[in-house]
Amino acid sequence: MTRDNDDDNHNNDAPKAATRRLRSQTMHEGLLRASSRGFLHALGQDDEDIARPHVGVFHTGGEMSPCNANLREQAQHAKTGIYAAGGTPHECPVVSVSDGLTMAHSGMRFSLISRELIADSVEASTRGHQWDGIFAIGACDKNLPGLMMGIVRCNVPGVFVHGGAALPGQMHGEDINAVHNYESIGKVLSGTATTEELAAVTHACIPTVGACAGQFTANTMGMVSEAIGLAPIGSSMVPAVFSERAPMLRRAARTLMQAVLGDGPLPRDIVTRKALENACAVVSATGGSTNAALHLPAIAHEAGITFHLDDVAEVFARTPLIGDLSPGGRFHARDVYYAGGAQVILRELLRGGFLHGEALTITGRTLAQELAQAREPDGQVVRRIEDARAREGGVAVLKGNLCPDGALLKTAGLATLVFSGPARVFESEEEAQAAVQNRNYQPGEVLVVRNEGPRGSPGMREMLGITALLYGQGMGDKVALLTDGRFSGATRGLCIGYAGPEAADGGPIAALRDGDMIHIDARPESRSLRVELTPAQLADRLAQRIPRPAPRGGLLEKYAATVRPSHQGAVTHSGGVVWLRDES
């Protein structure tokens, strides 16, 4: 994002008038809308304020996690910028479920579901109140894609800003983050660390508010927001606690208001197939979260674009790994910021021919134009293409008779890409968690956790707790883990998730039994995942399968009844929402 040193002068400029009829006029104009004007006056708005464009400022602020803790404060800066640029802002807080506080228990079922709740909330408020624009701020894993999905679904002028990462902690002169805490639990269980040492890590690993410091799901999707064109270039890697965020948010508000007042593109002008491929490229180039391969098809779905796991796989396979970022590397979001921001990675990918530079951004300029002033790679945090850590990227999609619809593996930092072993089958995360905690497994096994897909769980639980325990026990490279559920962006090791079709849909993973030989080959020339069973054996076992009962009552029942498979993004509606005939 181009820096602005005359922020105050810009804020004092006279706001422009709208050049076209505003959607919000439906809400407040005319005799029959006097009642609405009464409510707006009660909000402290005068007639001039009511006549302006009305903009929903959506954020997931609250005290459910450090990721969300300062988002309401950030929203105030966005509101200031909107008002100064001629709009009337309306703060619209939406729900958030913390992955950090739901890990390793049944509450994780509501994490991915919250993505849909957030998108639904943005739609309900925007369409219900006829907002003219959307300014969205989110920082926890599902907040970012949920808010972007809502922007694209509504297709009114919208801008997204990642709320920023926490600073990494420090112990013994080394940077640490949340994943070190999880892995320290495994060390205690294996007898290689004390509870006192664990307590020291627990206190030090997250020293400030903000999203997790590594290239986990939040920061991955933050970079995605820039690459896909919905966020200002240079916004995603500014740490959550840095004062630079205030003027950056005001500048983003001005950009949004330019679009609202008639000079900028709509979200579906921005989120095209080329933009989605750009987003995939930055995930692969940074060894980002496998969850991105779930969220990008969902964002595409909102635009009415069919963009599934196979499409993601093509981009992953051709994009080199140039970021040395945790958990598969050494550095954190703070380091990317000091190296010049996500735009350094994007410009290097553009130079190498791995991005579509003609893709449009929220400013109305192309991505190539926005990246023209970005720095060169520093050679440490970000490498040049010629010195890439891997030619084929940091995330791989595997296919075979065990996952016809695909499965995902983060390859960044893996010592080996080939593994074979007998299956050790668990029917739920709880069964697997207990076995790992009690070390009731053997080196060389493939631990299979099924019934944790979008419909079967329901909610597609994330299993960082298990993977971190394995790594902490020193077994991260001695066993493999396979599931139809999800893994965290913080997961490292031979952990394969999102295997589809899921067990609840009669996928091959439902046919596995203890001792079945599983072969994993993540090398670029193979990318395969198979079991030593014939098609007839698989069909016979699946015919004998007794489906688990579906949930009854509440949110889980509604979600299980509507959710689509993970390779399609685990979405819950038919896609490409259009406005009703009586809407502006």
Side-chain angles (χ1 to χ4, degrees):
M1 169 175 186
T2 303
R3 294 191 179 232
D4 232 330
N5 291 322
D6 57 343
D7 196 63
D8 291 335
N9 291 334
H10 276 282
N11 285 339
N12 289 329
D13 288 345
K16 292 197 300 182
T19 58
R20 55 184 171 79
R21 177 174 170 79
L22 296 170
R23 184 174 288 107
S24 60
Q25 289 175 275
T26 304
M27 169 184 64
H28 63 74
E29 278 195 346
L31 179 67
L32 296 180
R33 304 290 182 264
S35 57
S36 297
R37 294 193 294 277
F39 278 91
L40 294 173
H41 287 314
L43 285 173
Q45 297 176 15
D46 61 19
D47 290 339
E48 180 184 329
D49 296 331
I50 293 173
R52 290 169 169 234
H54 290 256
V55 177
V57 181
F58 293 85
H59 66 82
T60 54
E63 295 180 342
M64 66 293 291
S65 79
C67 316
N68 299 281
N70 74 343
L71 297 189
R72 182 160 194 254
E73 173 189 333
Q74 294 191 44
Q76 306 314 305
H77 298 298
K79 289 168 63 178
T80 298
I82 290 166
Y83 194 80
T88 296
H90 295 258
E91 185 179 353
C92 304
V94 294
V95 68
S96 175
V97 174
S98 167
D99 284 31
L101 298 185
T102 58
M103 193 66 65
H105 62 81
S106 61
M108 180 56 78
R109 289 193 171 92
F110 293 88
S111 171
L112 183 59
I113 295 175
S114 73
R115 185 191 73 179
E116 311 307 304
L117 293 175
I118 291 166
D120 292 349
S121 296
V122 172
E123 179 192 9
S125 184
T126 300
R127 297 180 73 181
H129 301 110
Q130 302 281 298
W131 301 146
D132 299 299
I134 299 169
F135 193 117
I137 311 169
C140 199
D141 292 4
K142 308 310 173 297
N143 301 350
L144 288 86
L147 289 166
M148 286 188 271
M149 288 163 64
I151 289 172
V152 177
R153 184 186 301 179
C154 293
N155 201 35
V156 302
V159 66
F160 174 83
V161 176
H162 176 24
L167 299 177
Q170 284 254 321
M171 282 198 71
H172 311 301
E174 300 287 336
D175 284 344
I176 62 171
N177 58 53
V179 76
H180 293 86
N181 199 21
Y182 287 109
E183 292 176 0
S184 292
I185 300 170
K187 291 179 180 179
V188 171
L189 292 172
S190 64
T192 59
T194 65
T195 54
E196 290 78 15
E197 290 170 326
L198 170 60
V201 174
T202 301
H203 281 89
C205 65
I206 311 175
T208 73
V209 299
C212 291
Q215 190 67 346
F216 312 154
T217 303
N219 290 327
T220 296
M221 295 308 295
M223 287 192 184
V224 159
S225 70
E226 292 192 42
I228 211 169
L230 291 175
I233 294 297
S235 60
S236 67
M237 293 294 103
V238 181
V241 294
F242 278 23
S243 58
E244 182 183 335
R245 299 198 65 81
M248 181 262 287
L249 287 156
R250 293 195 294 269
R251 290 194 297 268
R254 285 204 303 274
T255 298
L256 172 62
M257 289 309 302
Q258 289 169 1
V260 169
L261 293 168
D263 297 330
L266 294 176
R268 294 188 203 173
D269 299 325
I270 297 168
V271 179
T272 62
R273 180 167 292 274
K274 288 183 177 180
L276 290 159
E277 290 183 355
N278 288 346
C280 292
V282 80
V283 176
S284 187
T286 58
S289 171
T290 52
N291 279 318
L294 191 70
H295 300 323
L296 286 169
I299 294 171
H301 186 72
E302 301 292 354
I305 299 171
T306 300
F307 192 84
H308 293 165
L309 187 59
D310 286 340
D311 303 288
V312 174
E314 287 184 19
V315 183
F316 281 179
R318 68 178 184 237
T319 309
L321 175 63
I322 60 173
D324 191 1
L325 306 181
S326 174
R330 297 174 291 167
F331 298 105
H332 295 86
R334 172 209 59 193
D335 305 306
V336 177
Y337 168 78
Y338 283 127
Q343 61 266 44
V344 173
I345 298 164
L346 294 171
R347 187 183 182 189
E348 183 63 10
L349 289 174
L350 181 64
R351 183 186 73 84
F354 298 100
L355 288 186
H356 302 289
E358 69 274 24
L360 200 60
T361 71
I362 179 62
T363 64
R365 288 156 49 90
T366 67
L367 185 61
Q369 289 173 320
E370 289 293 305
L371 295 174
Q373 302 303 314
R375 294 187 207 169
E376 297 287 327
D378 68 326
Q380 296 293 318
V381 180
V382 183
R383 299 188 186 186
R384 293 180 67 83
I385 298 291
E386 294 78 7
D387 188 35
R389 296 179 64 207
R391 302 304 309 174
E392 295 80 19
V395 183
V397 177
L398 311 182
K399 283 200 167 186
N401 70 341
L402 193 43
C403 55
D405 289 340
L408 285 158
L409 170 66
K410 181 181 283 195
T411 56
L414 283 184
T416 180
L417 297 177
V418 179
F419 190 95
S420 295
R424 182 71 172 277
V425 181
F426 302 97
E427 300 297 337
S428 67
E429 179 184 0
E430 284 80 7
E431 283 189 16
Q433 182 87 21
V436 171
Q437 187 169 334
N438 295 315
R439 306 205 67 170
N440 188 20
Y441 63 94
Q442 298 298 320
E445 290 181 327
V446 179
L447 310 184
V448 178
V449 187
R450 63 189 178 199
N451 304 308
E452 295 294 357
R455 193 162 68 87
S457 184
M460 203 176 192
R461 287 194 283 182
E462 184 174 278
M463 298 179 209
L464 174 60
I466 295 175
T467 63
L469 285 181
L470 289 169
Y471 215 93
Q473 291 172 353
M475 299 294 285
D477 60 351
K478 296 179 177 60
V479 297
L481 187 58
L482 168 66
T483 182
D484 53 4
R486 295 184 298 117
F487 288 126
S488 166
T491 291
R492 54 178 172 170
L494 202 59
C495 301
I496 302 165
Y498 317 81
E502 62 171 296
D505 288 336
I509 193 171
L512 292 178
R513 296 175 182 171
D514 287 348
D516 289 339
M517 284 300 297
I518 294 175
H519 301 283
I520 302 162
D521 189 342
R523 293 175 298 180
E525 63 271 21
S526 300
R527 299 290 202 231
S528 65
L529 176 60
R530 61 186 182 86
V531 59
E532 289 185 9
L533 293 173
T534 67
Q537 288 174 313
L538 284 169
D540 182 61
R541 289 190 187 180
L542 290 173
Q544 300 174 38
R545 168 179 164 267
I546 301 174
R548 302 178 86 191
R552 297 191 57 186
L555 183 56
L556 294 180
E557 178 184 359
K558 290 193 287 186
Y559 184 79
T562 58
V563 70
R564 300 187 181 197
S566 59
H567 75 282
Q568 297 179 15
V571 294
T572 55
H573 67 91
S574 60
V577 170
V578 296
W579 291 69
L580 301 176
R581 285 190 301 275
D582 62 349
E583 294 178 290
S584 299

